[in-house]
Amino acid sequence: MATLLLIDSSVFPEGGSASRSVTAAFRQAWEEQHPDGTVIHRDLAADPLPHLDGVAASAGFADPATHTPEQQTAFALRVRLAEELEQADAVVIAAPMYNFTIPSTLKAWLDQVIIMGRTAGEEPSAKGTPAIVVASRGGSYAPGTPRESFEYVQNYLEAVLNGGMGLEVDFIVPELTMAPQNPAMAELVPMYEASREKAHADAAAKAKALAERLAAA
């Protein structure tokens, strides 16, 4: 049975979140292909992880046999997150752009789950796992747009997920999501609607393609 790890990080509920609507579309299509599969869902807004502190960080570089009780507790969480990633056949990560970068809750998950010598390093334990990132944003930061240089979501996540953890990263980018609420963006509403429809179609198509790929493996 296939396992999907789904990470949501939007502070808004599904009805008001572009990224959640796309991850939900992916999940629906995935479950249609894998009715007996497992979905591990982490909602980082509803159940945020603690930010990495000195105790948890130092535990990652120390022999577990030498861990203090505090390090044991802190490192147990990191191990649990690593295990969720390692058992996943595919990962879907919602990464809405907040102030030009990812939500702090998603950064906390990354800091906790990245363990050198395990999930990161020369042979990352989840290397090759497909990861779909839903990088929603209120405007557009695509090449050739005025704010292209402010794009710190895709660049960062490509580096950390692929370069650092060895995941096979692909992006879905719903953009201009503020157009329906911002009168100054009214003329961009048709482009927003097209982007939204494409994102949902891409989510369903990628879920099906991954299911077929796993079935053939």
Side-chain angles (χ1 to χ4, degrees):
M1 294 187 296
T3 297
L4 174 68
L5 174 59
L6 170 59
I7 307 291
D8 275 316
S9 62
S10 172
V11 298
F12 300 107
E14 185 176 327
S17 166
S19 65
R20 286 183 186 273
S21 69
V22 177
T23 59
F26 187 102
R27 178 174 184 169
Q28 178 179 347
W30 174 273
E31 291 181 328
E32 289 172 355
Q33 301 295 320
H34 299 286
D36 298 321
T38 299
V39 177
I40 301 171
H41 184 204
R42 279 204 171 267
D43 187 334
L44 301 178
D47 188 17
L49 296 167
H51 286 281
L52 190 70
D53 60 15
V55 173
S58 62
F61 295 99
D63 183 341
T66 69
H67 283 177
T68 66
E70 292 78 11
Q71 286 178 316
Q72 290 174 358
T73 299
F75 197 60
L77 171 62
R78 301 187 68 189
V79 169
R80 184 162 71 252
L81 296 173
E83 290 173 344
E84 290 177 354
L85 175 64
E86 291 161 352
Q87 72 185 81
D89 296 290
V91 183
V92 176
I93 300 173
M97 180 184 282
Y98 293 164
N99 300 315
F100 307 121
T101 189
I102 64 174
S104 64
T105 51
L106 180 55
K107 182 60 165 61
W109 177 79
L110 287 166
D111 288 340
Q112 295 280 9
V113 80
I114 294 173
I115 303 173
M116 291 303 300
R118 181 166 178 170
T119 57
E122 292 186 5
E123 285 297 326
S125 55
K127 182 178 180 179
T129 302
I132 308 299
V133 178
V134 180
S136 60
R137 59 277 314 276
S140 178
Y141 301 80
T145 61
R147 289 202 165 185
E148 175 184 357
S149 63
F150 289 82
E151 210 302 303
Y152 300 112
V153 172
Q154 288 177 260
N155 292 340
Y156 169 68
L157 290 177
E158 177 70 33
V160 70
L161 294 174
N162 177 259
M165 303 173 72
L167 304 183
E168 183 185 300
V169 183
D170 195 6
F171 289 92
I172 298 174
V173 186
E175 61 179 11
L176 302 169
T177 63
M178 288 298 297
Q181 288 80 40
N182 187 346
M185 299 174 67
E187 63 182 20
L188 300 176
V189 168
M191 295 177 65
Y192 151 71
E193 292 174 341
S195 177
R196 179 188 60 190
E197 294 304 314
K198 183 178 186 302
H200 282 81
D202 284 351
K206 291 179 189 297
K208 183 178 180 180
L210 282 176
E212 293 173 349
R213 171 177 158 183
L214 289 170

